[in-house]
Amino acid sequence: MELGRAALAWAAALVLAALGAAVDVDPYRVLGVSRGSSQADIKKAYKRLAREWHPDKNKDPGAEDRFIQISKAYEILSNEEKRANFDRYGDAGESQGYSQHQHRQFHHFHEGFYFDESFFHFPFNSERRDTSDEKYLLHFSHYINEIVPDSFKKPYLIKVTSDWCFSCIHIEPVWKEVAQELEVLGVGIGVVHAGYERRLAHHLGAHSTPSLLGLINGKITFFHNAVIRENLWQFVENLLPGNLVEKITDKNYIHFLSNWKKENKPHVLLFDHMPVVPLLYKLTAFAYRDYLSFGYVYVGLRGTEELSSQYNINVYTPTMMIFKEHIDRPADVVQARDMKKQLIDDFLSQNKFLMATRLTSQRLFQELCPVKKSHRQRKHCVVLLTGEGEKFAEAYEAFLAFAVANTKDVLKFVHIYNDRQPEFADALLMDEEKYRGKSAVVILERRNNAGKIAYKALEEAWQGSKEDNFILLDLLDQLRTDPGLLSSETVLADLNDELAPIFLIRWLYSTVDYISDCWDSLFHSNWREMMPLLSLLFSALFILFGTVIVQAFSDSSDTRNSPPSEKEETATKSEKNDTSFSKESNSRIPKKGFVEVTELTDINYNSNLVRLRPGHMNVVLILSNSTKTALLQKFALEVYTFTGSSSLHFSFLSLDKHREWLEYLLEFAQDAAPIPNQYDKHFLERDYTGYVLALNGHKKYFCLFKPHRSGDEGGTLGSCEDYDSSLHTEARGKSSSSPGSRSLKNKLHKLSFWMERLLEGSLQRFYIPSWPALD
């Protein structure tokens, strides 16, 4: 009995010692501030002490422990909730009131050796936590604003831990070893303390500790195997996509390197004697996947001798090569017995682009041709505007040779295909006849992020001759001393993303990811995590069975015996015989059998435009009295399939009555649809018939459709001749069959494609300060 009492007394002494150590740590004393100090004073004291005790600057043996203590003190005092808890209870955690309650627990202990149950829930003091995790600690805002975006460049391995977690102590040695090894390779490491960062732990879905999880591309994956080194390495490797690195042999290396033109990327080959692709190389491929394509050559494998001989590879030393436009020789090479991450990053960051990259997206244009920030940081782009095919191959090869010979930091050589980026080409070449069907070279400088540029085009088309090279070289020399050489200015629209996957592929990838998440949750997640999925499933089943039951008990006698009326039969026959809209009826079902087009007048102007409900648009056709019948007929045909949208309204505006109103609006569309000066001598002779404006009354902007030139033959001409007799009673006879009538209807050719872009929201918008009065 005496022995038992002695043991209990010894245990109590140990706990009291721990409590005494906890009480000794005062964040105010650590930072040297008073309890009434403001946040500014606390921050100032922290910065001063952090600079003084930072381990990189202070070589004192205790500097690291002192620095951690300072950081923890600032963490408590900079958070008002933790600071209030410390001021009230002497503890910054969530064990509120414990400091006042703990003495009563030990009082019971001394009297009758009674321990309250909450005694064993006393948390570890922050000083007792492993200091090796301090540099990896994550906070909610840091995780959301920095870690998640960074996970699109590298995977993260995150540990969720807490105080008095004995399993956390058990996995600690393995975690330390693996964290150090993976961090060197480029894997992000994070630690979440569930006691201090409960919000972040809940966001991650970690409802127990310890929890290990991976984060990549913003997606969280939990680790469910035994915590050993091999399993953790495999877990991180499985986070990465499986198609990052292609295995290269003598049979496929030419095909792999030749894909530079299709993918618009340099290609990287790593020659090594490891039978499997090293994790470091996979992580590098993931980080640079938007810029480079990666291949791996196992030099010990039979079938790579020709490849190694072709490029004179030392099979005993890892070798990395970058190939650009020429696959017969590498553009750059690096060899090292021990390929370090820093060495690889420096090598690849200098070779991210081809010598004359093709502009395939706005992001690529902004990166290659950045906006100038100062006169000393001018960067110019030399752009070859050309076409595809053998016809333009000679001009491209000459431009590429010029780019290789004149590579400088302040110059970037790029090219585009005119057919794939027509708006870009038209803005720079102004549709001049001398460039039609030929290549052209333009020197430009971006002035702002809104698309404004200064540029100068070579006077003649680019043919790649020696004379063309001398002219371009002379212009570039002049540009170094005379920035005013770029005398022309314009505003460029954003480039089309040529290599973006189509909607069906993106939808398929999203579906596969969602199914894999559900599958993983089904086998590994607890019921709390499964509740949203189960709720969705049961809701869908309830709606499905509810619909079936309602249909089963509904009265179907009306549809069983009642014959169709004479009007319904007529409507059915007319719909079957109407072939004008058969091509588009699968995608959009009109609500009516006709198009309701009203005239926009001063009477209905406010209700149909100025006070139009948010989200609604009025599509207005511009016509004159002489063109009214023919244009309305064609307009109804083009927009018929869009009448199923309740947010669209269709109107027409008389040019004879409201020309000044239209001229005022078109002044705001000068950039995309140049309109002559309204005070020229042909002011009353300009023909705006066939213009279509989509007006958003609530947000005060409009989109503009300009009619095609009369020389273009429309593919739908003639299909509207029998559309609706009520729309062209005046157009019978000579007027409907004359060339002038066909020319008028051809003005609205491809209006339906413009309407598709309008609904997609991809048309340029022209904003106005206020809607003018319609007199």
Side-chain angles (χ1 to χ4, degrees), residues 741-753:
S741 176
R742 294 174 60 86
S743 175
L744 283 175
K745 294 176 181 178
N746 192 44
K747 283 190 171 186
L748 298 180
H749 177 52
K750 294 186 179 179
L751 176 61
S752 59
F753 296 101

Side-chain angles (χ1 to χ4, degrees), residues 171-391:
I171 69 172
E172 197 62 34
V174 179
W175 166 260
K176 282 184 181 179
E177 178 187 3
V178 173
Q180 292 174 359
E181 293 174 346
L182 293 178
E183 189 178 23
V184 172
L185 299 182
V187 178
I189 305 298
V191 176
V192 178
H193 193 284
Y196 292 101
E197 290 293 335
R198 179 169 297 183
R199 180 184 178 189
L200 178 55
H202 181 74
H203 176 80
L204 296 173
H207 303 296
S208 62
T209 56
S211 292
L212 297 178
L213 55 96
L215 175 69
I216 189 169
N217 291 331
K219 176 186 175 184
I220 297 171
T221 304
F222 277 84
F223 176 79
H224 300 290
N225 295 325
V227 183
I228 59 176
R229 180 182 180 277
E230 291 74 15
N231 288 347
L232 288 173
W233 272 69
Q234 189 62 46
F235 173 69
V236 172
E237 193 163 353
N238 290 341
L239 292 175
L240 299 168
N243 57 348
L244 288 172
V245 182
E246 185 176 349
K247 295 290 185 68
I248 304 301
T249 63
D250 293 341
K251 295 181 180 180
N252 65 348
Y253 81 94
I254 294 180
H255 178 267
F256 172 75
L257 296 178
S258 300
N259 276 339
W260 69 266
K261 195 166 189 178
K262 178 182 177 182
E263 299 176 359
N264 197 36
K265 296 178 182 179
H267 282 56
V268 186
L269 283 181
L270 175 64
F271 297 81
D272 204 350
H273 52 78
M274 300 289 291
V276 296
V277 182
L279 180 59
L280 172 61
Y281 195 53
K282 289 185 178 181
L283 292 167
T284 303
F286 179 76
Y288 290 90
R289 67 191 185 281
D290 292 336
Y291 302 97
L292 303 163
S293 292
F294 292 81
Y296 180 75
V297 182
Y298 172 34
V299 294
L301 180 67
R302 181 178 299 177
T304 60
E305 297 87 354
E306 177 187 342
L307 182 56
S308 301
S309 175
Q310 170 76 17
Y311 301 113
N312 194 23
I313 299 300
N314 181 358
V315 297
Y316 300 104
T317 304
T319 304
M320 185 175 289
M321 292 183 171
I322 285 190
F323 295 82
K324 297 186 177 180
E325 284 89 346
H326 301 107
I327 66 172
D328 57 333
R329 62 184 183 274
D332 206 351
V333 181
V334 64
Q335 280 187 338
R337 291 192 176 276
D338 188 12
M339 283 280 187
K340 298 291 187 181
K341 181 180 183 302
Q342 188 61 47
L343 174 65
I344 296 176
D345 286 343
D346 293 341
F347 177 67
L348 296 182
S349 61
Q350 297 173 5
N351 295 278
K352 292 196 300 183
F353 303 106
L354 297 170
M355 299 304 298
T357 305
R358 180 162 63 91
L359 295 180
T360 57
S361 66
Q362 184 67 16
R363 180 194 63 81
L364 196 59
F365 179 45
Q366 291 173 348
E367 193 161 358
L368 285 169
C369 306
V371 177
K372 72 162 190 175
K373 297 181 179 178
S374 66
H375 292 290
R376 295 183 179 180
Q377 295 180 342
R378 289 182 177 275
K379 289 195 175 182
H380 300 97
C381 269
V382 185
V383 186
L384 173 68
L385 299 101
T386 185
E388 299 182 70
E390 293 297 327
K391 176 182 176 182

Side-chain angles (χ1 to χ4, degrees), residues 412-479:
K412 290 294 183 182
F413 293 86
V414 296
H415 72 283
I416 68 165
Y417 289 149
N418 295 341
D419 295 339
R420 300 195 184 189
Q421 305 289 349
E423 295 181 355
F424 188 95
D426 291 345
L428 294 177
L429 302 181
M430 304 299 289
D431 202 22
E432 294 191 28
E433 189 65 32
K434 61 183 177 182
Y435 299 119
R436 195 176 301 279
K438 299 179 182 178
S439 301
V441 171
V442 175
I443 306 171
L444 63 84
E445 178 186 80
R446 292 181 64 224
R447 293 294 172 86
N448 58 33
N449 291 319
K452 185 178 180 181
I453 65 162
Y455 71 99
K456 181 176 181 59
L458 266 65
E459 296 294 337
E460 300 297 331
W462 173 268
Q463 297 177 350
S465 63
K466 289 185 178 180
E467 182 180 357
D468 290 342
N469 280 267
F470 286 137
I471 293 174
L472 179 57
L473 189 60
D474 182 57
L475 284 176
L476 294 177
D477 287 339
Q478 294 180 44
L479 190 60

